[in-house]
Amino acid sequence: MTLLILITLLWAASFSLIGVYLAGQVDGYIVVFIRMILALITVLPLFRWRHLSPKSGQLPQLTKLAVIGAIQIGAMYLFLYHAFLYLSVAEVLLFTIFTPLYITLIDELILNRKHLPLLWWIAAAVSVCGAAIIRYQPLSDDFITGFFLIQAANACFALGQVAYKRLPTGKTLAQSQQFAAFFFGASVIAGLGVLLFAEDVSSSSELKVRDEAGNVTTLSPHNFDLIPAGASEDMAWSYYSEKDGKRINVDMLKALRVLEQISGEKLVYTEE
């Protein structure tokens, strides 16, 4: 129990780390992939490679474990990391209260055909009310997007929990010797996310920064989406910021050119 408490405290601290220092600053797909690979490397020494032999009869078990890992932490973390782009850390933490509800829905209501206790519905209602108090402003498209992303993460985690509970894994030693398959599945999903959706930073030439207030600011040579005339010059660069559906776009080179005209001072220097 002590170990569980320590791990829970460590995991709780990761929410602020993700929301404040990683989300919006490092590509979420890449971060999740690195996290899964590091976890796989950690447990890989415990894996018994003889389980991969068809004669061992363990391949179906390992395949199921890999699929569970792909859903429970692979897909879950992909949704979770991107939810931080739209929600504050407090809101993400608040909405994770739905996870036990989803576990009960899947395990008891859907699989065992049992009725849910009233307490679970009260907990869900309290969570929604808490979110309304935290927001104290009209709902934006970003908030709704973030809400559904965190619910997808909750559902993935719950589905994995229920599936693992019903998977006959044997004794603790046997589980530790097989658990690399769990993180292998998660690494595959995260890797596919990188290949299909990760931003190519080397070619984008953009700098993105997200502050604690949730403002996502981009310095870019080609982001002039809100400017009707587009870039003022070939080498123009833009300032682009967004939060809660509100966006600001400034042609910074043109602004400096205007300032040069007003002040009479040279501010932009070029060399050909």
Side-chain angles (χ1 to χ4, degrees):
M1 190 64 182
T2 302
L3 184 60
L4 178 60
I5 294 174
L6 292 176
I7 292 175
T8 302
L9 292 174
L10 181 63
W11 195 9
S14 71
F15 283 89
S16 295
L17 175 65
I18 298 169
V20 177
Y21 298 104
L22 294 179
Q25 302 185 42
V26 183
D27 190 286
Y29 294 103
I30 296 176
V31 173
V32 173
F33 179 66
I34 293 175
R35 183 168 183 166
M36 296 302 102
I37 286 294
L38 291 176
L40 176 60
I41 293 174
T42 301
V43 299
L44 198 57
L46 301 175
F47 185 70
R48 293 297 178 263
W49 295 97
R50 64 176 180 270
H51 292 327
L52 295 177
S53 172
K55 297 180 180 179
S56 68
Q58 294 294 320
L59 282 179
Q61 176 83 354
L62 295 177
T63 302
K64 294 176 183 178
L65 198 55
V67 172
I68 293 173
I71 297 173
Q72 183 175 350
I73 57 173
M76 183 274 289
Y77 271 120
L78 290 177
F79 287 123
L80 177 65
Y81 270 72
H82 287 85
F84 279 101
L85 296 176
Y86 304 95
L87 300 173
S88 67
V89 175
E91 289 165 346
V92 170
L93 287 170
L94 182 63
F95 286 140
T96 58
I97 197 174
F98 284 91
T99 303
L101 177 63
Y102 290 145
I103 292 175
T104 306
L105 277 171
I106 297 171
D107 197 31
E108 300 294 337
L109 186 64
I110 297 177
L111 298 179
N112 290 335
R113 304 291 183 178
K114 294 181 179 179
H115 293 291
L116 287 182
L118 178 62
L119 185 61
W120 291 108
W121 298 111
I122 294 176
V126 169
S127 175
V128 174
C129 293
I133 294 173
I134 290 177
R135 294 295 296 180
Y136 63 86
Q137 58 186 350
L139 296 181
S140 66
D141 292 340
D142 283 353
F143 179 81
I144 295 173
T145 300
F147 175 81
F148 282 110
L149 283 172
I150 195 64
Q151 295 317 307
N154 290 339
C156 287
F157 191 82
L159 186 60
Q161 285 276 59
V162 174
Y164 189 80
K165 171 189 173 184
R166 293 172 175 268
L167 184 69
T169 53
K171 298 181 179 180
T172 303
L173 179 60
Q175 294 182 44
S176 64
Q177 293 173 350
Q178 299 173 358
F179 213 66
F182 182 85
F183 287 106
F184 173 77
S187 299
V188 170
I189 288 296
L192 288 174
V194 171
L195 292 175
L196 296 175
F197 305 111
E199 183 179 356
D200 186 356
V201 179
S202 61
S203 62
S204 67
S205 302
E206 292 184 343
L207 173 63
K208 289 190 176 183
V209 179
R210 182 181 188 274
D211 61 21
E212 295 183 7
N215 298 295
V216 180
T217 300
T218 305
L219 298 180
S220 167
H222 49 69
N223 191 345
F224 298 89
D225 295 343
L226 302 183
I227 301 175
S232 58
E233 301 180 31
D234 290 340
M235 298 181 66
W237 56 283
S238 74
Y239 171 91
Y240 184 94
S241 185
E242 57 183 326
K243 179 187 178 184
D244 296 335
K246 298 179 181 178
R247 298 184 294 170
I248 299 174
N249 200 183
V250 181
D251 186 329
M252 297 302 296
L253 185 55
K254 186 174 182 179
L256 288 173
R257 295 297 191 195
V258 173
L259 187 58
E260 282 183 333
Q261 295 177 1
I262 296 175
S263 65
E265 297 185 17
K266 181 69 174 177
L267 300 175
V268 180
Y269 298 87
T270 59
E271 182 180 2
E272 297 182 4

